[in-house]
Amino acid sequence: MKVLVCDKPGELLYTTRPIPQPEKGYTLLKIKRIGICGTDLHAFEGSQPYFNYPRVLGHELAAEVVSSAEGEFKPGDLVTLIPYVNCQTCFACRLGKTNCCTGIQVLGVHADGGMAEYMQVPTRLVLAADGLSPDELALVEPLAIGAHGVRRAAVVKGEYVLVIGAGPIGLGTMEFAKIAGGKVIALDINPQRLVFCKEKLKVDHIINALTEDVTARLYEITGGDMPAVIIDATGSQKAINNAFHYMTHGARFILIGLQKGEISFSHPEFHKREATLMSSRNATREDFDQVISAIKNKLIEPANYITHRVKFDNVAHNFSSWLDPDNGVIKAMVEVD
């Protein structure tokens, strides 16, 4: 089978490997779609934490079942998967927090992913399509990241929710914050992304951090209260540190985005607000199920996200272009079939 390997930062190489042999407890998949994620792009440019090379990227997947030892799935079934291989025995796993297992192996990050023609994965992580198309299935995982962050935030109907970052993860976060009843404010520095938020996602308010006074606009939008929930989906140290100034008293600040440096904020200002700071890592089965249900019930239109398409054979040639904001990429979708 053909496989695309990120050999080192800035270098993608096609190679061949044997098709995996069926194993007990595993399902062999023929890959149909691969969504390109920020994690993939950061790995390519060498800025992704928790990463080592060489690595086969790809964890936003739609696939067709080739074989499954347990009989839960039959050949030809369309599926997606939870790409977080957890140990099932650590404290986090015993709590049901499989998304932050102490020994987690995220496919495409800690272990080889799905940028290949075939892939074998634990059957317990395979999810039935339930009527979704390959494009929709490949978008379930990134949308689940946002769904998990919103669930962590425990958004209450009518609350102002500031989502910082209008990339694919931030956009999905906005969708689920709206579904939860939040009044969403999108903050970004890319005017095209902000127009997308307003026109495609029907976000309540947009703010351009480069051209507007963010604090003043938030004060105006919220009637002086400031946001009750802030969710960072940028992974930008500057954006994260600045956001501590935007919280109302009693606010919750959730970090979906990840950066390598240190967070810095005024303890007295944070303390007097009795604010809550939490991280949101990956997603759980519950989040995946919520996303699949939301797509089935037309609460989310995944087709809005796909701006670029490319055949598997052309990924290496096109990959670096997706790092350029001027190309307007929201979600690049790789077609393997």
Side-chain angles (χ1 to χ4, degrees):
M1 67 176 182
K2 184 179 286 187
V3 178
L4 183 58
V5 179
C6 187
D7 195 53
K8 60 185 179 182
E11 188 171 294
L12 291 167
L13 300 173
Y14 287 102
T15 186
T16 57
R17 293 181 181 178
I19 295 173
Q21 294 301 303
E23 294 181 40
K24 184 177 181 181
Y26 284 76
T27 294
L28 180 62
L29 303 175
K30 185 180 189 301
I31 303 300
K32 306 286 283 184
R33 296 287 188 278
I34 309 161
I36 302 299
C37 171
T39 299
D40 302 321
L41 297 173
H42 295 154
F44 178 77
E45 65 181 2
S47 62
Q48 174 62 30
Y50 314 135
F51 200 85
N52 52 69
Y53 304 87
R55 179 65 63 225
V56 178
L57 305 177
H59 60 269
E60 301 178 359
L61 304 170
E64 185 179 281
V65 172
V66 177
S67 64
S68 185
E70 281 66 47
E72 182 178 347
F73 298 98
K74 63 182 186 298
D77 283 352
L78 200 58
V79 297
T80 188
L81 63 101
I82 301 172
Y84 324 127
V85 184
N86 64 301
C87 73
Q88 305 184 81
T89 59
C90 73
F91 183 70
C93 286
R94 298 199 305 273
L95 283 180
K97 294 177 70 66
T98 55
N99 57 304
C100 60
C101 163
T102 57
I104 199 165
Q105 295 284 295
V106 179
L107 301 178
V109 179
H110 308 100
D112 284 344
M115 198 73 74
E117 293 179 299
Y118 294 88
M119 182 184 192
Q120 188 160 247
V121 298
T123 301
R124 63 187 173 83
L125 300 178
V126 179
L127 302 176
D130 204 12
L132 271 59
S133 70
D135 283 352
E136 291 170 331
L137 287 169
L139 284 162
V140 170
E141 192 273 344
L143 288 169
I145 300 291
H148 186 73
V150 170
R151 188 157 63 87
R152 290 276 284 157
V155 173
V156 175
K157 185 176 181 181
E159 286 186 315
Y160 283 101
V161 180
L162 172 64
V163 179
I164 307 170
I169 299 300
L171 296 173
T173 302
M174 294 174 202
E175 298 250 56
F176 282 95
K178 284 182 58 184
I179 290 170
K183 294 184 282 190
V184 176
I185 307 166
L187 175 63
D188 202 276
I189 59 174
N190 185 317
Q192 289 77 30
R193 290 282 180 91
L194 290 170
V195 169
F196 182 92
C197 292
K198 195 72 174 176
E199 294 183 353
K200 294 290 188 179
L201 303 190
K202 310 301 180 186
V203 166
D204 299 297
H205 306 279
I206 58 174
I207 302 174
N208 188 323
L210 288 183
T211 62
E212 300 178 80
D213 183 326
V214 177
T215 301
R217 284 283 287 126
L218 289 172
Y219 191 87
E220 174 191 356
I221 290 167
T222 63
D225 286 339
M226 301 301 279
V229 175
I230 297 173
I231 304 178
D232 178 81
T234 67
S236 161
Q237 185 180 47
K238 182 178 179 181
I240 291 169
N241 289 343
N242 284 344
F244 284 94
H245 301 291
Y246 308 149
M247 296 187 297
T248 191
H249 286 237
R252 289 97 71 203
F253 188 5
I254 295 85
L255 303 178
I256 295 178
L258 177 65
Q259 50 85 34
K260 290 185 175 181
E262 295 182 355
I263 297 170
S264 177
F265 59 92
S266 166
H267 187 182
E269 288 297 319
F270 183 78
H271 196 93
K272 76 181 185 182
R273 286 170 170 77
E274 199 179 50
T276 300
L277 175 65
M278 64 181 81
S279 60
S280 178
R281 188 181 185 195
N282 301 324
T284 65
R285 175 66 180 259
E286 180 180 349
D287 304 307
F288 278 77
D289 289 342
Q290 183 188 6
V291 171
I292 291 171
S293 176
I295 295 173
K296 280 190 64 177
N297 291 303
K298 306 301 182 184
L299 299 177
I300 291 179
E301 180 46 71
N304 285 336
Y305 293 79
I306 302 171
T307 54
H308 294 64
R309 289 185 181 275
V310 65
K311 295 295 185 182
F312 182 51
D313 288 348
N314 297 323
V315 173
H317 175 73
N318 287 274
F319 205 92
S320 62
S321 70
W322 299 330
L323 291 163
D324 185 352
D326 291 338
N327 288 329
V329 179
I330 292 178
K331 179 61 64 177
M333 187 65 69
V334 178
E335 299 177 347
V336 183
D337 55 340

